[in-house]
Amino acid sequence: MADQPKPLMPHATATWLVDNTGLSFEQIAEFCGLHILEVQAMADDLTGSKYTGRDPVHSGELTQDEIEKGQADNDYRLKMQRAPVAVSRTKGPRYTPVSKRQDKPDGIAWILRNHPEISDAQIGKLIGTTRNTITAIRERSHWNIQNIQPKDPVTLGLCSQRELDAVVAKAAKKAGIEDEAAPVETTGGSDREKLIEELRAERQANEKAAAEAVQEAEAAAWLEAKRAAEDAGETAEPDQA
């Protein structure tokens, strides 16, 4: 049983089992590969995240007979009927969480303003958007153009600083902006270097602020989860009543 695979979506599966069966918290925790306190917190609605239940019977990972065996004997350990199929990502635009998608236009506008040398194809791949959207923002025909404010995509969490720098460097090299061997005009070169330095400083400041915000959020979430686990451990019993 130690090598038994776990459900594809363990938290969602545990939520469904808590709501729809009489299995013990320990049985559910072992089957889903979770700590028993996590399952108890789900049952008491103490978790910070609310999961939509996923029926393991419908997905073929568990049978109704297995559930009935477990309900009849608290010592019975549920057996996985069919291991979940690993999902591999196909080539295509970058996936962006739903909570971040509304920020895409702001990130696109920032790139168009600060790095016009980056092609639409590169922006689409970096941000995970379409050329139609990029064109609409560039031509100011986007339906929400009045509310779009250029913001660094790194700060918005749409891409990493390393990814952005790589795209900027590639586009600059292709456009000949940073070709050290090529002669440049004194005035134009100094202005360009000054702009590049200003943009780099802005990105570094935004990256630092974003990192600090993430650290603070993680610390707060950890503390909240710890308190919830402690409360659940004090009030909940090992098995469902």
Side-chain angles (χ1 to χ4, degrees):
M1 295 294 291
D3 297 329
Q4 176 172 272
K6 304 306 177 186
L8 182 62
M9 300 174 66
H11 289 88
T13 300
T15 297
W16 189 92
L17 292 173
V18 166
D19 293 338
N20 296 278
T21 72
L23 296 169
S24 69
F25 292 154
E26 185 177 359
Q27 287 172 310
I28 295 174
E30 181 171 343
F31 178 74
C32 295
L34 305 175
H35 193 284
I36 188 172
L37 292 181
E38 289 186 88
V39 180
Q40 290 175 335
M42 290 178 185
D44 295 334
D45 289 330
L46 296 177
T47 55
S49 301
K50 301 301 180 183
Y51 297 95
T52 300
R54 178 176 184 269
D55 185 353
V57 178
H58 179 73
S59 66
E61 295 173 349
L62 196 61
T63 65
Q64 189 60 42
D65 288 342
E66 278 294 296
I67 292 177
E68 292 175 357
K69 289 178 182 179
Q71 292 176 147
D73 180 5
N74 285 343
D75 292 329
Y76 183 78
R77 296 295 174 254
L78 301 174
K79 297 181 178 63
M80 174 75 69
Q81 298 304 302
R82 185 178 66 189
V85 178
V87 179
S88 59
R89 174 160 169 74
T90 57
K91 291 183 178 180
R94 168 193 296 273
Y95 172 76
T96 305
V98 175
S99 61
K100 297 287 186 183
R101 292 177 190 175
Q102 63 185 11
D103 296 329
K104 284 186 178 183
D106 292 345
I108 295 169
W110 187 92
I111 294 176
L112 292 175
R113 184 187 71 179
N114 294 285
H115 295 287
E117 71 276 11
I118 298 180
S119 69
D120 289 0
Q122 289 176 311
I123 297 175
K125 185 176 181 180
L126 181 68
I127 302 296
T129 188
T130 65
R131 294 196 180 192
N132 289 338
T133 299
I134 299 170
T135 300
I137 294 174
R138 177 186 287 110
E139 297 177 352
R140 301 190 63 78
S141 60
H142 191 278
W143 66 272
N144 196 35
I145 192 65
Q146 297 301 323
N147 296 317
I148 295 177
Q149 299 293 329
K151 295 178 182 178
D152 190 333
V154 175
T155 304
L156 294 175
L158 298 173
C159 64
S160 69
Q161 187 66 53
R162 179 177 297 180
E163 291 171 328
L164 177 59
D165 289 344
V167 172
V168 171
K170 185 176 182 180
K173 183 177 181 180
K174 184 175 182 180
I177 294 177
E178 295 182 353
D179 187 359
E180 297 180 356
V184 296
E185 297 181 3
T186 304
T187 302
S190 60
D191 290 343
R192 184 182 300 114
E193 291 175 0
K194 183 178 179 180
L195 176 59
I196 292 175
E197 287 299 324
E198 290 177 352
L199 294 176
R200 183 178 292 112
E202 178 185 350
R203 287 201 300 271
Q204 290 175 345
N206 290 334
E207 182 181 22
K208 181 179 179 181
E212 292 176 350
V214 170
Q215 291 177 349
E216 292 177 1
E218 289 179 346
W222 178 85
L223 181 59
E224 181 180 352
K226 181 180 179 181
R227 289 174 177 172
E230 291 175 349
D231 292 340
E234 293 175 358
T235 59
E237 295 182 5
D239 294 334
Q240 282 181 307

